[in-house]
Amino acid sequence: MIININDMRSIADIQDKFSSFFPFLKIEFYTHPHHWYEESETKSVLPTEKFLGDIRHLHQQGDLEFYSWFKTGELEQVFRKKFNLNVQVFRLEGSNWIQTIDSDKMTLKEQNEIGRARTVENKPLMDPPVNNNIY
């Protein structure tokens, strides 16, 4: 997967592109970095309408290339080291998004599959639609 990083892109643009490949994962952007196995502070999350040029001090532009076999923590570090962006990966579990702090060594594919299993496969079956056209 390739995401072009430049100052004219919004956080929402980057998030949408990422989630189009990993529908049970999302990334949030923060004012401060975090370490492996460390949670990001909710109070430092950045609004999605912000442009990357407004939140970075170093304005390195280019393509961020990563793959499903990248470890979660590696992706977060690439964002920070190459583009001066602080991100945290989240996984969908049911209807809740959780930070992947305890699983930074898992791949993006593994994280996405866990999210799928804990969200889609565990949803209760819906009642069949009522057919009001019974004769």
Side-chain angles (χ1 to χ4, degrees), residues 2-98:
I2 298 173
I3 298 178
N4 181 264
I5 304 293
N6 67 65
D7 288 347
M8 302 307 294
R9 302 282 306 264
S10 71
I11 289 174
D13 289 340
I14 305 301
Q15 290 172 322
D16 290 345
K17 178 85 171 173
F18 179 80
S19 292
S20 71
F21 285 91
F22 302 105
F24 298 95
L25 303 179
K26 74 172 183 172
I27 51 175
E28 291 287 352
F29 289 72
Y30 292 85
T31 56
H32 304 291
H34 70 281
H35 299 287
W36 280 70
Y37 302 110
E38 183 179 273
E39 187 171 315
S40 294
E41 295 180 13
T42 305
K43 67 182 179 181
S44 68
V45 69
L46 291 164
T48 60
E49 66 272 2
K50 285 272 193 186
F51 286 91
L52 300 183
D54 297 333
I55 63 173
R56 304 191 299 166
H57 301 292
L58 302 173
H59 299 277
Q60 179 69 25
Q61 300 185 56
D63 289 334
L64 173 61
E65 188 172 350
F66 59 96
Y67 302 95
S68 62
W69 61 83
F70 271 37
K71 292 182 179 9
T72 306
E74 288 174 333
L75 175 67
E76 293 168 352
Q77 287 195 359
V78 169
F79 266 101
R80 185 173 59 208
K81 289 179 180 177
K82 188 171 181 183
F83 296 106
N84 195 34
L85 294 167
N86 304 308
V87 302
Q88 174 72 54
V89 176
F90 284 71
R91 180 179 63 233
L92 186 60
E93 295 216 4
S95 60
N96 298 314
W97 289 100
I98 62 159

